[in-house]
Amino acid sequence: MFGKPIIQHSADDLKENLLTFIRQALALSSEITRLSNAIADYGVDVRHMGGVTVIDSALREWLRVVEKTASAENGGDEYNFEISLVDCELRYPSSVPEAYDRVFRDVSEPRNFRMQMISAGQDGVYAVMNIVSDMLDLIDFEAMADAIASQAKSLKGAGFTAAANDIARFLGLEGYTPTPTELTRRGLVFYAYYGANVDGMNKVNWTGDLVEVEKSLRMAEKETGIGAVSQAVNQVYRVVFECTGLDPIPLRTTAGIPGVLEAVFFKNKTRFTLEGSRADALLSFIAEHASVDLKPFKQAA
């Protein structure tokens, strides 16, 4: 629908996209009207929403799609952040009778669709395009594009911070860890969670944390260009999740993806080894975005 990321759309791009969206809605509306007139010959009455109503609904739906798409493109889906264009003013032009403006804006009164409409079916799609043109002239697309860009930057930064802090905790670089994280010739070695004896709430906590860090790793992978670490975490998750009842995971079970991220289950702890180049990339991501002091770790390494 948009052809490129929303944040790359200029004011003119947004205006043209909305115009195309409304034209398509009106064309479909006209076809519905034609079919409803045809089916009336068989005694079936299908109420049709007129052209102005279509414009109103299409405009608000387009705004919703822009908000949802822009949010998803900038990490909103991962951390429940959302771009909002609620402050962008939408007004009806003077070519629309005052009665329409009252009906569409006054939510305290039910909409009266029996009132006389400017019908796309009777006058064709282009009969209402002058209203569309006037309406688009009243929308500040420059402000809309600026709002998307500024909010996207804030959301992306907030998402990166949350992801980096989450990954730092997973790697044992934040908080108390009984065994320090260290760089070796194999890569980054760290110990996490409860090992082969996982059960009860330990299992619930562990699987929940793995799901969250998998989301964070996907965001870091997209930013740094590395891959497969989140998939490896998912493989570890599957081993832990499939552990049933009080039965322990067999000692020295290996999970993950060889050469990417491997986990070995010991009795009371799990050792992870993260491949060197991916470790470097994630450490750089953490250093740039997380509120974690890596100096002690670097000295230890």
Side-chain angles (χ1 to χ4, degrees):
M1 174 177 169
F2 297 105
K4 59 184 178 182
I6 298 293
I7 195 172
Q8 296 178 12
H9 281 61
S10 66
D12 289 340
D13 291 336
L14 292 171
K15 184 175 182 178
E16 183 60 34
N17 190 275
L18 174 55
L19 182 59
T20 300
F21 192 82
I22 292 176
R23 278 176 176 159
Q24 292 172 342
L26 287 170
L28 291 171
S29 171
S30 182
E31 180 65 11
I32 290 172
T33 299
R34 185 187 67 78
L35 292 173
S36 67
N37 290 334
I39 201 172
D41 295 338
Y42 297 89
V44 180
D45 182 20
V46 180
R47 185 174 64 179
H48 171 60
M49 292 168 56
V52 173
T53 308
V54 172
I55 296 170
D56 177 79
S57 299
L59 173 59
R60 298 179 191 286
E61 175 63 13
W62 180 82
L63 282 172
R64 187 192 69 80
V65 173
V66 169
E67 290 174 336
K68 182 178 179 180
T69 304
S71 297
E73 289 174 350
N74 293 279
D77 286 353
E78 301 292 350
Y79 293 98
N80 298 318
F81 298 140
E82 190 173 280
I83 286 176
S84 173
L85 299 177
V86 68
D87 293 332
C88 294
E89 186 176 7
L90 304 177
R91 292 177 292 159
Y92 290 90
S94 58
S95 54
V96 178
E98 291 184 3
Y100 292 120
D101 190 61
R102 177 183 59 77
V103 167
F104 292 136
R105 287 186 174 277
D106 191 351
V107 296
S108 64
E109 296 181 12
R111 295 184 178 189
N112 181 7
F113 291 120
R114 291 177 298 175
M115 65 189 293
Q116 183 179 0
M117 292 286 185
I118 300 175
S119 174
Q122 293 175 357
D123 303 315
V125 171
Y126 293 101
V128 292
M129 288 309 294
N130 62 322
I131 294 177
V132 173
S133 180
D134 290 344
M135 181 181 291
L136 297 190
D137 287 341
L138 295 174
I139 298 175
D140 190 344
F141 286 97
E142 290 285 355
M144 188 179 295
D146 289 343
I148 292 170
S150 62
Q151 290 184 52
K153 184 177 180 180
S154 297
L155 296 190
K156 200 168 186 179
F160 284 164
T161 297
N165 283 324
D166 193 22
I167 295 170
R169 285 190 292 271
F170 175 66
L171 299 181
L173 300 173
E174 181 183 66
Y176 171 75
T177 53
T179 306
T181 299
E182 60 178 342
L183 279 170
T184 69
R185 284 183 297 177
R186 293 187 59 193
L188 191 69
V189 177
F190 61 98
Y191 293 81
Y193 301 104
Y194 314 102
N197 288 329
V198 60
D199 61 8
M201 284 306 300
N202 284 350
K203 178 181 177 182
V204 172
N205 293 336
W206 195 0
T207 52
D209 287 346
L210 288 174
V211 168
E212 289 304 312
V213 81
E214 185 182 348
K215 293 180 181 179
S216 299
L217 285 167
R218 284 201 299 269
M219 180 174 285
E221 287 170 342
K222 184 176 180 180
E223 177 67 8
T224 62
I226 63 172
V229 182
S230 59
Q231 297 174 26
V233 168
N234 181 265
Q235 295 302 313
V236 176
Y237 165 85
R238 289 178 179 275
V239 171
V240 178
F241 183 79
E242 290 170 3
C243 172
T244 58
L246 298 178
D247 296 331
I249 300 170
L251 295 181
R252 295 189 177 275
T253 293
T254 301
I257 299 177
V260 177
L261 177 73
E262 295 181 83
V264 180
F265 295 87
F266 296 95
K267 183 176 181 180
N268 294 313
K269 61 184 179 181
T270 302
R271 184 184 69 205
F272 289 82
T273 303
L274 176 63
E275 183 270 329
S277 64
R278 291 176 172 85
D280 290 340
L282 290 180
L283 288 172
S284 296
F285 182 77
I286 291 169
E288 182 175 356
H289 299 290
S291 53
V292 177
D293 183 8
L294 293 181
K295 290 180 180 179
F297 162 75
K298 291 178 180 178
Q299 291 171 357

